[in-house]
Amino acid sequence: EVQVVESGGGLVKPGGSLRLSCAASGFNISTFIMNWVRQSPGRGLEWVSSISDNSHHIYYADSVKGRFTISRDNAKNSLYLQMDSLRAEDTAVYYCARDLTSGWDGGNYWGQGTLVTVSS
Amino acid sequence: DIQMTQSPSSLSASVGDRVTITCQASQDITNYLNWFQQKPGEAPKFLIYDASNLETGVPSRFSGNGSGTDFTFTISSLQPEDIATYYCQQYDDLPYTFGQGTKLEVK
């Protein structure tokens, strides 16, 4: 069974940092593009970042570019999101999502999410 | 960015009804469209890819159609467990973008 489990969320002050992790099981992430998507009441569902299987292709939403860094460790079957210079508008549930195939499919299989709250 | 516009934003229907949601893209996305279902307190669940292909294990009462800019999502006979918010998502181009959601309620 395909499963991804996010962790690392929490309460952080504006300007602070947080590192999210996503542990995969039931499949080998080395053959899939992986994604981060977030959801907040004010912004709805928002794609955040994607990383190719070999990490050669990385993309970010304009809203997080320069502040967030996506990475993966295929040996550990894990995905990460380093979030720096956090703002109140980054408050959201963050989901890790695996693509359906080895192509760019938008992120199909989602975890349960981890809540990030940016507040003083 | 490609804008995805869903309608209606909310819908009330009776068990057994046929329900249709529309999703319009601001430009041609061919058939690169996913549909998701989200129940309260849960993560979105993937239902349909490539506009009309049902994910394995998804009941056949769910279907999708369309290409280019206009798409539909249909539940042929609404069941109580289908109460949820439904989202479309385009993956033709980055940034991937989502519709604002359609909240489905039972009358």
Side-chain angles (χ1 to χ4, degrees), chain A residues 35-65:
Chain A
N35 312 268
W36 288 99
V37 182
R38 66 186 181 184
Q39 184 174 31
S40 63
R43 300 166 76 103
L45 285 166
E46 181 183 18
W47 168 80
V48 173
S49 182
S50 299
I51 184 169
S52 64
D53 53 358
N54 56 13
S55 302
H56 287 179
H57 301 281
I58 290 175
Y59 302 96
Y60 298 98
D62 285 346
S63 57
V64 307
K65 201 173 295 182

Side-chain angles (χ1 to χ4, degrees), chain A residues 33 35 37 39 45-47 50 59-62 95 99-100 104-113, chain B residues 1 32 34 36 38 41-46 48-50 55 87 89-91 94-99:
Chain A
I33 290 156
N35 312 268
V37 182
Q39 184 174 31
L45 285 166
E46 181 183 18
W47 168 80
S50 299
Y59 302 96
Y60 298 98
D62 285 346
Y95 296 100
D99 272 11
L100 175 65
W104 294 84
D105 302 319
N108 303 88
Y109 302 109
W110 299 35
Q112 283 305 300
Chain B
D1 298 1
Y32 296 121
N34 290 323
F36 293 87
Q38 186 176 31
E42 298 184 4
K45 176 188 174 185
F46 166 54
I48 289 172
Y49 64 99
D50 289 349
E55 161 68 347
Y87 296 92
Q89 179 212 26
Q90 67 80 20
Y91 54 99
L94 288 164
Y96 302 138
T97 48
F98 295 83

